[in-house]
């Protein structure tokens, strides 16, 4: 396994703080929840689409040159996989960690694991939480009540819409026989204010990225995939100041609702330079 890049290394102190701040998740129970929307669903799309998103990555000029799959992780999830030996499934992989500082006392942590394994990055039994939920992302309110699901799970599903492509994943609804497993998994994640906040932050970040793409496409029509790749490589996929403002308001709402039960870790990376202009 390769080392962590210095620019995204948050340090052991952050890992410890994130694992316990605002409650913890029973990862053993999460990983024992075998939510399967449709048996052998990988055959419905024809190429196990969500295991590699290969048909979408083929539209990129640079990002798709080498096999990779970046899987977002929730706080403490990497440590659980490390403790249970589940990291071996990813083969040649890299842990990425970073944060978005909201103010001098609070930062939103983010973490992912990047696997360069060809084909599917993980094994079914030990797949990460995001793979267990895909393709229906749970939508909660601040109190943790499940409001519904979002079928446009990640940025690839949003790019399909922007590009006018048919939906690659053939699963679009929650089968009744899997409802209790889905509710159980969602309730375990929402029981921790910190992890519930991270689910909200994931959706907010994706929403900001899509809004930026929509504005640029309206001004200069082009391939949504080409635009996404270019903005990604330039580090301009989201307006960080606008996102920071939304996540700060969200963190304030969580703090007001949960009190001492909710805590974000303190920033550990150097503070970004003050903004001098508008959105990138």
């Amino acid at each position: 396994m390769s080392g962590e890049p210095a620019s995204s290394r948050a340090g052991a102190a952050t890992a410890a703080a994130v694992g316990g701040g605002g409650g913890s998740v029973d990862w053993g129970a999460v990983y024992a929840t075998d939510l399967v929307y449709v048996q052998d669903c990988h055959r419905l799309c024809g190429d196990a689409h969500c295991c590699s998103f290969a048909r979408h990555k083929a539209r990129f000029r640079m990002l798709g040159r080498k096999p990779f799959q970046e899987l977002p992780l929730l706080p403490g999830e990497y440590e659980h996989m490390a403790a249970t030996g589940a990291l071996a499934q990813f083969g040649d992989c890299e842990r990425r960690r970073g944060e978005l500082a909201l103010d001098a006392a609070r930062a939103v942590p983010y973490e992912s694991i990047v696997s360069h394994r060809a084909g599917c990055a993980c094994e079914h039994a030990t797949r990460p939480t995001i793979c267990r939920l895909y393709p229906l992302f749970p939508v909660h309110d601040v109190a943790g009540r499940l409001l519904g699901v979002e079928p446009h799970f990640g940025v690839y599903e949003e790019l399909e819409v922007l590009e006018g492509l048919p939906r690659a994943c053939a699963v679009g609804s929650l089968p009744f026989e899997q409802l209790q497993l889905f509710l159980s998994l969602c309730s375990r994640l929402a029981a921790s204010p910190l992890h519930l906040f991270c689910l909200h932050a994931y959706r907010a970040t994706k929403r900001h990225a899509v809004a930026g793409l929509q504005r640029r496409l309206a001004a200069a029509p082009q391939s949504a995939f080409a635009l996404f790749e270019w903005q990604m490589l330039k580090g301009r996929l989201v307006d960080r100041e606008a996102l920071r403002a939304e996540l700060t308001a969200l963190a304030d709402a969580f703090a007001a609702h949960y009190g001492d039960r909710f805590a974000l870790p303190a920033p550990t990376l150097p503070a970004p330079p003050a903004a001098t202009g508008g959105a990138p």
Side-chain angles (χ1 to χ4, degrees), residues 50-53 57 63 67-73 90 94-97 110-116 121 128 130-131 156 202 232:
C50 68
C51 289
S52 66
F53 296 99
K57 290 175 182 176
L63 292 179
F68 79 96
Q69 180 77 303
E70 183 165 9
L71 302 172
L73 302 176
F90 300 111
E94 170 191 348
R95 183 186 190 183
R96 292 182 179 175
R97 288 186 288 178
Y110 52 87
E111 182 171 359
S112 65
I113 190 162
V114 179
S115 172
H116 298 292
I130 194 167
C131 298
Y156 285 123
Y202 175 90
M232 184 79 171

Side-chain angles (χ1 to χ4, degrees), residues 172-193:
S173 61
L174 177 63
F176 179 77
E177 58 271 18
Q178 294 293 305
L179 177 60
Q180 290 307 313
L181 282 179
F182 181 80
L183 294 176
S184 174
L185 179 55
C186 292
S187 66
R188 292 187 184 280
L189 299 175
S192 161

Side-chain angles (χ1 to χ4, degrees), residues 13-261:
T14 297
V18 167
S24 59
V25 167
D26 183 348
W27 289 114
V30 168
Y31 274 60
T33 304
D34 190 21
L35 175 64
V36 179
Y37 296 108
V38 178
Q39 196 66 35
D40 295 327
C41 66
H42 62 281
R43 297 179 179 176
L44 299 179
C45 59
D47 62 352
H49 175 70
C50 68
C51 289
S52 66
F53 296 99
R55 72 177 76 174
H56 289 342
K57 290 175 182 176
R59 296 174 178 269
F60 297 141
R61 298 184 62 183
M62 298 182 65
L63 292 179
R65 289 183 177 181
K66 181 180 179 181
F68 79 96
Q69 180 77 303
E70 183 165 9
L71 302 172
L73 302 176
L74 287 166
E77 190 167 8
Y78 180 92
E79 287 76 11
H80 169 76
M81 289 193 292
T84 57
L87 292 178
Q89 67 184 318
F90 300 111
D92 175 22
C93 63
E94 170 191 348
R95 183 186 190 183
R96 292 182 179 175
R97 288 186 288 178
E99 62 188 32
L100 176 64
L102 302 183
D103 48 43
R106 301 176 299 177
V108 179
Y110 52 87
E111 182 171 359
S112 65
I113 190 162
V114 179
S115 172
H116 298 292
R117 171 180 168 182
C120 189
C122 54
E123 303 294 338
H124 180 84
T126 52
R127 64 198 188 278
T129 305
I130 194 167
C131 298
R132 295 171 190 273
L133 290 171
Y134 188 88
L136 303 177
F137 197 91
V139 178
H140 299 86
D141 63 12
V142 170
R145 292 183 289 262
L146 184 65
L147 304 178
V149 297
E150 184 173 340
H152 299 151
F153 194 100
V155 70
Y156 285 123
E157 288 72 36
E158 298 286 2
L159 288 174
E160 288 174 346
V161 176
L162 294 176
E163 195 81 352
L165 297 175
R167 181 179 169 89
C169 179
V171 178
S173 61
L174 177 63
F176 179 77
E177 58 271 18
Q178 294 293 305
L179 177 60
Q180 290 307 313
L181 282 179
F182 181 80
L183 294 176
S184 174
L185 179 55
C186 292
S187 66
R188 292 187 184 280
L189 299 175
S192 161
L194 174 63
H195 293 77
L196 177 62
F197 176 87
C198 289
L199 294 177
H200 278 262
Y202 175 90
R203 292 184 61 236
T205 303
K206 186 194 69 163
R207 187 169 60 251
H208 275 257
V210 173
L213 292 173
Q214 289 173 328
R215 288 193 299 270
R216 292 181 173 91
L217 288 171
Q222 58 186 292
S223 164
F225 284 87
L227 177 61
F228 169 81
E229 181 179 34
W230 181 239
Q231 296 299 317
M232 184 79 171
L233 292 173
K234 292 172 63 179
R236 296 174 57 178
L237 196 55
V238 298
D239 179 344
R240 292 176 68 87
E241 292 307 314
L243 178 60
R244 192 190 321 275
E246 179 172 341
L247 294 184
T248 297
L250 180 64
D252 291 343
F254 267 72
H257 183 82
Y258 291 103
D260 292 341
R261 289 187 58 210

